[in-house]
Amino acid sequence: PRLAVVQKKSVCVLEAGRYHHERSFSSDEMSGMSRVYMSGGMQTATDPGWKKLPPHQHREITVLQPSAVGGGGLINNAVCFRMPKPRFDAWKNVGFPVDEADLNAAYDAVADELGIVPASQALKAKGRLNPMGELLGKTLGKPKPHPAELPNVPGFYECNVNIGKGRKCTGCGYCNLGCSFEAKNNSLQIHLAQAIDAGAEVFQLAHVDALTFDSASKVRGALVTINDTNYEVQADEFVVAC
């Protein structure tokens, strides 16, 4: 069957993870990892050529990917860097379809929406933050202000943080388990709330099994499983994020 409610909405958000109220988070690391991380925090990325290498040369890293309504902002450590200029140029060379000026404008918009400010500014107004910048500064000198646009060269920069207006960081250090103090402005609190107020519908535990295409190879539908029931979601436009 089709998901009938979607036909009445302009936006439908399908999230594979669960919704968690931020105040339900705690300092229990095992619980936090299992609740909000993909594969309980044990997801790995492996070198595709690993089978040709001896065991001690296998190259593998752990990929900390969220699986919860609200996405990465729910478990980020409040550090908000923009994409480095060399990385942007590398992406552009392989067809990245976003102009640098447009990307910077998008960064500016999100920074305004989430109240992203330099760490020193947040430190003065909003409580305690990680002292690592001060400790590193004793060796590397005073950090440079984070560039307003894509940074051009490597260096020791002050980070920006998404501890927005009216929020106060307690310095507990459990950012990556979800902030039970709701000190971080994130998409769960801001963007999704605004979308729902505007009529969007959000479905948790919605696993997208496949996309369907028309004869012109344009995506026309998504086959979704929610609570062991299969649906087809049809829309004019799809945005896939993972």
Side-chain angles (χ1 to χ4, degrees):
R2 292 182 182 177
L3 203 55
V5 69
V6 175
Q7 299 174 34
K8 302 176 183 178
K9 304 294 181 181
S10 59
V11 174
C12 172
V13 179
L14 302 170
E15 168 57 56
R18 293 182 180 272
Y19 165 75
H20 299 282
H21 194 292
E22 288 184 281
R23 290 190 179 274
S24 70
F25 294 134
S26 71
S27 59
D28 186 331
E29 295 190 28
M30 293 299 290
S31 172
M33 295 289 285
S34 63
R35 290 175 70 191
V36 295
Y37 282 87
M38 184 73 72
S39 303
M42 296 302 292
Q43 183 179 223
T44 59
T46 305
D47 186 333
W50 70 272
K51 291 184 178 180
K52 300 178 181 179
L53 299 172
H56 67 281
Q57 292 183 14
H58 288 179
R59 292 177 290 187
E60 187 174 71
I61 62 171
T62 300
V63 179
L64 296 178
Q65 179 182 356
S67 178
V69 176
L74 199 67
I75 57 170
N76 80 329
N77 54 6
V79 174
C80 303
F81 275 115
R82 300 190 179 200
M83 182 188 295
K85 182 69 161 58
R87 178 55 52 199
F88 174 84
D89 291 340
W91 284 20
K92 194 72 174 179
N93 288 337
V94 293
F96 187 51
V98 180
D99 182 77
E100 184 174 334
D102 291 339
L103 183 59
N104 281 317
Y107 276 131
D108 290 338
V110 173
D112 182 64
E113 292 162 353
L114 299 186
I116 297 173
V117 296
S120 58
Q121 182 178 332
L123 180 62
K124 292 178 181 177
K126 304 179 177 76
R128 301 172 58 231
L129 293 179
N130 192 320
M132 185 55 67
E134 181 181 348
L135 295 175
L136 287 174
K138 293 180 179 180
T139 302
L140 302 176
K142 186 177 180 180
K144 304 174 186 177
H146 193 272
E149 298 180 345
L150 300 183
N152 291 295
V153 295
F156 181 39
Y157 293 99
E158 177 181 16
C159 68
N160 294 327
V161 294
N162 56 318
I163 301 174
K165 300 175 182 177
R167 308 300 172 105
K168 188 171 183 178
C169 176
T170 66
C172 69
Y174 290 115
C175 304
N176 299 123
L177 301 179
C179 180
S180 63
F181 303 100
E182 297 182 311
K184 298 181 295 182
N185 278 349
N186 55 43
S187 289
L188 177 65
Q189 301 167 358
I190 310 297
H191 300 126
L192 277 180
Q194 292 173 347
I196 291 170
D197 286 344
E201 193 80 9
V202 179
F203 294 87
Q204 65 171 344
L205 300 175
H207 187 272
V208 177
D209 301 304
L211 300 176
T212 58
F213 300 82
D214 62 14
S215 58
S217 298
K218 183 177 180 179
V219 178
R220 286 301 184 188
L223 304 180
V224 184
T225 301
I226 304 176
N227 293 330
D228 296 323
T229 301
N230 298 324
Y231 300 92
E232 180 181 4
V233 179
Q234 294 187 342
D236 293 328
E237 186 175 2
F238 287 83
V239 176
V240 180
C242 60

